[in-house]
Amino acid sequence: MTDLFKISLPDGSVREMEPGATPYDVAAAIGPGLAKAALAARVDGEVRDINRPFDGDAELALITAKDEEDALELVRHDFAHVLAEAVQALWPGTQITFGPATDDGFYYDVMAPESREPFGLEDLPVIEEKMREIIKADKPLVREVWSRDDLIAKWEAEGETFKAEWAKELPEGEDLTVYWSGEPGSEGAWLDMCRGPHLASTGKLDPQAFKLMRTAGAYWRGDQKNAQLTRIYGTAWLNKKQLKAHLHRLEEAQLRDHRKLGREMDLFHLQEEAHGSVFWHPKGYRIWRELEAYMRRKMDGAGYREIKTPQVMDARQWEQSGHWGKYRENMFVIPDEVPNTEDEGDIVSKDADWMALKPMNCPAHVLVFKQGITSYRDLPIRLGEMGCCHRNEPHGALHGLMRVRQFTQDDAHIFCTEEQVVEEVQAFINLADSVYRDFGFDYKIKLALRPEQRFGSDADWDKAEQELRDALSANGLDWEELPGEGAFYAPKLEWHLTDAIGRTWQVGTIQSDRVLPERLDATYIGEDGEKHRPVMLHRAIFGSYERFIGILIEHFAGRLPVWLAPTQAVVAPIVSDVDGYASDVLAKLEAAGIRASSDLRNEKINYKIREHSLAKVPHLLIVGKREEEEGTVAIRTLGEKDQKVLPLDEAIAMLKGAATPPDLKA
């Protein structure tokens, strides 16, 4: 008698199955509804095809659409393969490479046949229709294992040079997995090399739950020396409702684009003469100044002492800290001395000492800490800096305020004893919470754990990671752990904010570091009279002012809170006869500390209202002869339909309350 496989289910029950049985067979044995809903299976922790036989006894968890993260990964992978199949069916001779799932969909890199131009936007509707045809055909997706040599021979015979090249780089004798779309070897069946897993058939995909979005150039294996391919991007979801919601979010994101609003509101601009650096206009810099003043008040109240450190430091400092080896290609470096030479082309000596614009503030803060002798009684020491940094980001990666080369951080470093770490992290968690809530953000906290390549001992990493967990637990918070995503010198907590349209932004962080104090020889004198290493906590809340302002503009769709608005009120007379009263109103607003201006142009009032609404001015104070006679103003608040008439003093009190920063309100 053949031994049965014991399949353990999440509820603790065990099913005995014949060898050759699959997760689908288990689902069918439980009930027809589950068999229909099951998309794939997690077998001993590995996601597998629903029809892949068990290898022996196993723990099984069936994946359905309710397991959204796993389900989306599966369907997006399948949509990518259906895309490649559709392109090859429409244009025989197209070469395919690879197509992974992405955060909101998928892409596939392909090379058009020589007989036609690279694929473009005009091809996408035709490809979409063919993809729907393949999905509706409900073609089975069948996994097979092939020998490396057989697969190379097939790819070469069919002119698939990219696939053949990839397969040749795999170890000799290694078996590879392939997937058929359609019964293997049958007419119309399509084959691709893939690790999987996949759904049971193309019909498991919703033909109305995807959309091809755009095309772009891409180099084979990301190397510009290689052949140029066309990357076709799509977005994909579990159903039409999810797709519709995503497309709506994209439309909203376009309307909220901080670059567009930045122009309309006259906040800033960027131009080629300073790639990746921001030209702040008066209105935009007013937002910056208000944020900076707010953050200074927060840091002063939390016991930080502000410092200022140099922009340029000797390369030896960066070598000692470890940043030179990790960030050298992203640093702006200059020779310490440019020698005089007869040959004007040879402007830099090979032996020149190198300097670098700082890409981060940490090493400079250690140097400040090391001045003089520090006692354990002095700790914790909290050093803060509105530190301007430079990173040589690739040109193609630059994106408005969100990705720049010059940026300013609300940076700080806390030097403390081992015993003080958890308490200091707790205090920072509370400080960050108060800031994000002042701006109306919800957030999640994630703990990024040790990467494979790192400095420091495992014992130190164990201690640092546990300290961050202990601080979160002590504050009664939940968190998600991210294995392998810590910095090379420290684990970190990350704050992921959710904006008004559901996007997440990683901003604040605190990192528990024992590496840099060791490498830069930072010490304090302990109670025993001996030297000890402090723990260094790297922390920021905004992250960078540039990016945080960009996030705020998009979150509020330009309608910033009154206390942040560059212009908080505009006085607009209906007729020129009351210009004098408008000027008196303006003077009283300014005397009350409200950022205001007047619009005395000879334009109709509706024109003025539209223009100042586009500029996202929070309050428009309209005055006419009646208002002048009664000493009142008619207030139109941005986003509200009705206006209200108030006595001037009452209106000023109301505006002053709205214009007060949240941390200064009683």
Side-chain angles (χ1 to χ4, degrees):
M1 179 179 176
T2 304
D3 290 338
L4 298 177
F5 292 162
K6 292 181 173 59
I7 309 302
S8 302
L9 299 172
D11 64 1
S13 64
V14 176
R15 294 265 173 173
E16 293 189 337
M17 305 297 293
E18 294 279 353
T22 68
Y24 176 81
D25 295 327
V26 175
I30 295 172
L34 182 58
K36 183 178 180 180
L39 301 175
R42 192 174 289 278
V43 179
D44 293 331
E46 177 190 359
V47 179
R48 289 188 173 189
D49 305 334
I50 195 76
N51 288 323
R52 181 175 170 183
F54 295 108
D55 302 318
D57 295 348
E59 292 185 357
L60 170 67
L62 295 166
I63 296 172
T64 69
K66 293 180 180 178
D67 306 296
E68 190 165 296
E69 186 174 342
D70 285 332
L72 281 171
E73 179 81 16
L74 285 161
V75 301
R76 287 167 177 166
H77 189 185
D78 278 25
F79 274 117
H81 279 251
V82 171
L83 165 63
E85 179 180 356
V87 172
Q88 287 199 314
L90 290 165
W91 295 282
T94 299
Q95 287 198 61
I96 58 174
T97 60
F98 294 99
T102 64
D103 287 343
D104 63 0
F106 59 94
Y107 69 78
Y108 213 109
D109 289 346
V110 299
M111 176 179 273
E114 293 182 1
S115 59
R116 61 153 293 153
E117 295 294 316
F119 301 113
L121 291 175
E122 67 280 2
D123 298 308
L124 299 188
V126 179
I127 299 172
E128 281 184 354
E129 193 56 38
K130 188 64 177 179
M131 289 175 67
R132 291 191 177 93
E133 182 182 315
I134 293 167
I135 292 168
K136 290 174 182 176
D138 196 16
K139 301 173 71 173
L141 298 173
V142 183
R143 178 180 184 270
E144 288 186 345
V145 179
W146 284 36
S147 75
R148 169 184 175 276
D149 292 344
D150 286 348
L151 194 54
I152 290 171
K154 175 179 174 57
W155 292 140
E156 288 182 336
E158 295 180 358
E160 294 281 8
T161 59
F162 302 111
K163 291 282 191 182
E165 178 185 324
W166 190 267
K168 285 177 181 178
E169 293 183 6
L170 299 172
E172 289 189 24
E174 181 172 321
D175 289 335
L176 305 174
T177 54
V178 299
Y179 279 82
W180 290 93
S181 174
E183 292 297 337
S186 66
E187 184 178 353
W190 180 82
L191 182 75
D192 197 5
M193 177 170 66
C194 181
R195 290 185 186 141
H198 283 282
L199 303 176
S201 68
T202 60
K204 289 286 187 180
L205 299 171
D206 183 340
Q208 302 302 320
F210 81 97
K211 181 175 178 59
L212 299 184
M213 304 297 289
R214 60 191 174 93
T215 63
Y219 293 103
W220 167 234
R221 306 178 79 166
D223 189 336
Q224 61 183 2
K225 297 177 184 176
N226 291 337
Q228 186 164 23
L229 311 169
T230 300
R231 178 167 294 177
I232 303 175
Y233 288 93
T235 186
W237 301 84
L238 297 177
N239 52 58
K240 183 179 180 180
K241 182 179 178 181
Q242 287 184 344
L243 173 64
K244 185 178 179 180
H246 175 69
L247 295 177
H248 177 69
R249 283 194 298 271
L250 292 181
E251 290 174 3
E252 274 291 315
Q254 282 188 322
L255 294 174
R256 294 167 180 264
D257 189 324
H258 71 281
R259 296 165 298 180
K260 169 179 173 287
L261 291 171
R263 289 190 301 271
E264 292 177 356
M265 297 171 67
D266 191 25
L267 303 180
F268 66 89
H269 81 275
L270 301 112
Q271 63 185 71
E272 292 183 358
E273 285 78 1
H275 274 306
S277 298
V278 184
F279 293 83
W280 290 100
H281 299 185
K283 290 181 180 179
Y285 198 55
R286 168 54 69 177
I287 298 171
W288 180 300
R289 288 175 58 194
E290 291 300 318
L291 285 174
E292 198 171 57
Y294 167 88
M295 184 53 70
R296 279 201 169 95
R297 292 192 299 270
K298 285 288 190 179
M299 292 175 70
D300 289 347
Y304 290 83
R305 290 179 280 173
E306 189 170 354
I307 60 176
K308 196 69 177 173
T309 60
Q311 285 291 295
V312 180
M313 291 171 58
D314 192 291
R316 283 168 291 195
Q317 183 70 16
W318 301 109
E319 289 172 352
Q320 190 176 349
S321 71
H323 291 97
W324 193 257
K326 294 286 182 180
Y327 291 106
R328 167 66 180 82
E329 65 181 22
N330 293 115
M331 294 170 71
F332 290 100
V333 297
I334 52 177
D336 189 17
E337 184 176 339
V338 180
N340 294 321
T341 71
E342 294 182 4
D343 181 0
E344 292 183 1
D346 182 20
I347 61 169
V348 178
S349 165
K350 291 181 180 179
D351 299 323
D353 289 331
W354 290 96
M355 307 286 284
L357 284 169
K358 64 178 179 181
M360 64 275 299
N361 301 297
C362 339
H365 287 202
V366 177
L367 295 181
V368 173
F369 173 82
K370 287 174 63 177
Q371 294 302 298
I373 298 173
T374 300
S375 164
Y376 71 95
R377 294 186 180 89
D378 302 320
L379 301 181
I381 291 175
R382 307 180 187 97
L383 300 178
E385 178 175 12
M386 305 304 171
C388 182
C389 299
H390 293 78
R391 295 181 187 173
N392 191 13
E393 301 284 1
H395 185 274
L398 300 175
H399 178 72
L401 301 179
M402 303 303 193
R403 190 79 175 267
V404 291
R405 286 176 172 164
Q406 176 183 297
F407 57 95
T408 299
Q409 297 178 307
D410 63 311
D411 207 2
H413 295 88
I414 303 167
F415 298 88
C416 61
T417 67
E418 298 267 351
E419 295 75 22
Q420 293 168 334
V421 170
V422 172
E423 185 178 349
E424 286 299 311
V425 175
Q426 281 185 263
F428 176 75
I429 290 171
N430 291 331
L431 178 61
D433 177 76
S434 72
V435 171
Y436 297 140
R437 298 215 176 277
D438 278 347
F439 291 93
F441 283 116
D442 292 325
Y443 60 81
K444 291 183 179 179
I445 300 176
K446 301 185 181 183
L447 170 55
L449 304 172
R450 70 195 73 186
E452 188 173 335
Q453 300 296 322
R454 59 185 181 271
F455 292 157
S457 68
D458 286 346
D460 281 347
W461 278 88
D462 289 341
K463 190 181 297 183
E465 290 172 350
Q466 191 56 46
E467 287 165 345
L468 297 180
R469 292 188 185 102
D470 290 345
L472 289 165
S473 296
N475 279 29
L477 298 174
D478 296 323
W479 70 91
E480 176 187 346
E481 299 201 350
L482 305 175
E485 295 193 23
F488 71 89
Y489 53 84
K492 57 181 176 176
L493 298 182
E494 300 175 347
W495 274 256
H496 294 252
L497 308 188
T498 302
D499 72 8
I501 58 173
R503 297 171 300 181
T504 58
W505 305 90
Q506 196 268 301
V507 284
T509 182
I510 186 166
Q511 305 165 1
S512 180
D513 177 15
R514 287 168 169 81
V515 171
L516 215 56
E518 178 74 30
R519 293 180 71 93
L520 296 181
D521 194 28
T523 61
Y524 68 92
I525 304 301
E527 193 172 2
D528 58 3
E530 300 296 323
K531 288 184 177 181
H532 297 269
R533 299 282 182 212
V535 178
M536 184 178 183
L537 303 177
H538 308 243
R539 47 111 297 170
I541 298 178
F542 290 162
S544 81
Y545 279 86
E546 288 81 358
R547 187 165 176 268
F548 196 72
I549 290 172
I551 292 169
L552 289 177
I553 292 170
E554 297 202 359
H555 174 64
F556 290 109
R559 298 179 177 184
L560 296 168
V562 179
W563 71 275
L564 271 181
T567 302
Q568 295 167 328
V570 170
V571 184
I574 298 174
V575 292
S576 59
D577 292 355
V578 294
D579 284 358
Y581 179 60
S583 297
D584 291 342
V585 170
L586 175 62
K588 290 186 177 182
L589 290 171
E590 291 178 332
I594 297 166
R595 295 190 292 276
S597 64
S598 59
D599 187 346
L600 305 181
R601 294 174 299 168
N602 186 24
E603 298 284 356
K604 291 183 178 179
I605 191 63
N606 286 339
Y607 177 86
K608 294 179 182 180
I609 291 171
R610 283 194 301 272
E611 191 167 84
H612 295 300
S613 295
L614 184 65
K616 306 297 188 288
V617 175
H619 297 291
L620 191 59
L621 277 58
I622 300 170
V623 294
K625 290 184 178 180
R626 181 175 179 178
E627 284 76 21
E628 181 180 30
E629 291 170 0
E630 298 178 354
T632 61
V633 291
I635 301 178
R636 291 184 64 97
T637 298
L638 188 65
E640 296 182 8
K641 291 182 179 180
D642 299 326
Q643 67 180 29
K644 50 189 171 185
V645 178
L646 294 175
L648 180 56
D649 289 345
E650 192 175 325
I652 289 174
M654 185 196 81
L655 294 178
K656 190 171 182 179
T660 302
D663 62 306
L664 295 180
K665 291 182 177 179

